[in-house]
Amino acid sequence: MGGHAFKSHAGITFPRMQPPTYLALKQHCVSRLRKLYLHVVVPPEAPEKATYGDLDLIVAIPLDGPESGVNVRDSVGAALGAELSFSENAHLGNFALALSTIAVDADSADSGDDGGHGDSFGLGEGVYAQVDVRQCELDELGMALLMSSYGDMGMIMSLLFRLHGLHLGTKGLKLKTPQGTLPLSTDAQAILAFLGLSPEPYTGEDHVFRTRASAFDWIATSPFFRPQRFRAKIEQCLKRYKRLANREMFQAFINYLDEGIEADFWGSGKSELNGDGEDVDKDKDKERTINKALDFFEARAAYEALVGSSGLPLGTKWMEVLRPNEQDLH
């Protein structure tokens, strides 16, 4: 179900949307937001989704200029024809649109003229869809898309980095140390290159993931993929963030790991455990990866300036006790 931002409003419902409803809503919102912003993007949806709970959009560069005073809650809400809105700040807005007002006819939606033209969904009063709009700077757009595309794939990539002592979020890739946080990169393409992953799924409709398995197989091609360690990290996260167990794609990834480990799908080349089932190389693996990251992103001098003469070697136990913020999972 969508509508989580409006759960306190009685008498309205947010049913999951069938693909035709979702497509018409997307066309309606994109066409109207293009009158306000130069860049309007809908992140690729999670593969194999049969229904949709809400619609997410990312926008950048107001057409009237950065000083135009475009406010997501006010200007965007009016452009979309939202009846209800909620916003934690001026750059992020949640909107409730009555589905009975959204035209199914694609031409009508593209023109932005829904006033009586095209067929409506014929839904009764009080049936809405939630639309979430995030406004970002142009140089933030790549990271926003990387972290919000394909359902839970951004979160899965974040966990992959955390296996190696690094932290990925909407603000980029970072290394956290006792002396402070060292930014490594905000370039989504460079981050994928470091992971050894093809950028094609994020470059156009011709290369999008059509199935969950194709997305999971893609991330498993990374030389930093460690299936057993990945599974153990997920188990830790499930204990701390119980809501993750209800995320369909995340649960599918857990099943993917379990089945692959059971079948020895990745072979000894991807195994981290010795003959006694012990992961004896975890800290050395972290140290190697962090060293590679410092060189790849040309951040070694900045790292040495940050840590000074602390004497803490890379990959030591302090990385284990630095607990990430929950927002790092998004």
Side-chain angles (χ1 to χ4, degrees), residues 5-6 73 84-88 92-95:
F6 304 99
R73 179 170 182 175
L84 298 171
S85 63
F86 172 80
S87 181
E88 294 182 357
L92 178 64
N94 311 112
F95 306 95

Side-chain angles (χ1 to χ4, degrees), residues 36-211:
L36 294 179
Y37 295 94
L38 181 61
H39 297 280
V40 179
V41 184
V42 177
E45 294 86 0
E48 301 182 58
K49 250 192 173 180
T51 59
Y52 302 86
D54 53 23
L55 171 66
D56 297 312
L57 299 103
I58 303 172
V59 298
I61 308 185
L63 291 178
D64 291 337
E67 306 302 324
S68 63
V70 170
N71 180 288
V72 169
R73 179 170 182 175
D74 299 332
S75 300
V76 170
L80 295 179
E83 295 188 15
L84 298 171
S85 63
F86 172 80
S87 181
E88 294 182 357
N89 56 62
H91 302 288
L92 178 64
N94 311 112
F95 306 95
L97 277 65
L99 284 177
S100 60
T101 67
I102 307 300
V104 174
D105 184 272
D107 293 334
S108 176
D110 284 337
S111 69
D113 178 14
D114 302 330
H117 300 287
D119 297 323
S120 70
F121 292 113
L123 298 172
E125 294 296 323
V127 181
Y128 289 79
Q130 179 172 319
V131 176
D132 300 330
V133 180
R134 177 187 173 189
Q135 176 181 286
C136 64
E137 301 297 329
L138 182 60
D139 59 0
E140 299 172 333
L141 188 57
M143 284 306 308
L145 281 170
L146 182 67
M147 297 305 295
S148 58
S149 296
Y150 301 114
D152 294 330
M153 286 303 291
M155 179 167 56
I156 291 169
M157 275 189 280
S158 175
L159 287 172
L160 176 59
F161 271 112
R162 282 167 56 187
L163 293 179
H164 298 276
L166 300 170
H167 296 266
L168 180 70
T170 56
K171 298 298 184 182
L173 183 64
K174 303 174 183 178
L175 170 63
K176 295 184 178 181
T177 80
Q179 291 78 19
T181 298
L182 176 67
L184 295 175
S185 180
T186 58
D187 184 333
Q189 296 290 320
I191 290 170
L192 289 176
F194 174 73
L195 280 177
L197 295 173
S198 167
E200 286 189 346
Y202 296 85
T203 58
E205 293 186 1
D206 292 340
H207 305 289
V208 296
F209 296 125
R210 304 297 180 186
T211 65

Side-chain angles (χ1 to χ4, degrees), residues 23 28 31 85 103 118 120 126 152 154 165 174 184 241 246 262 308:
L23 177 59
H28 169 90
S31 66
S85 63
S120 70
D152 294 330
K174 303 174 183 178
L184 295 175
Y241 308 116
N246 299 322
E262 177 68 24

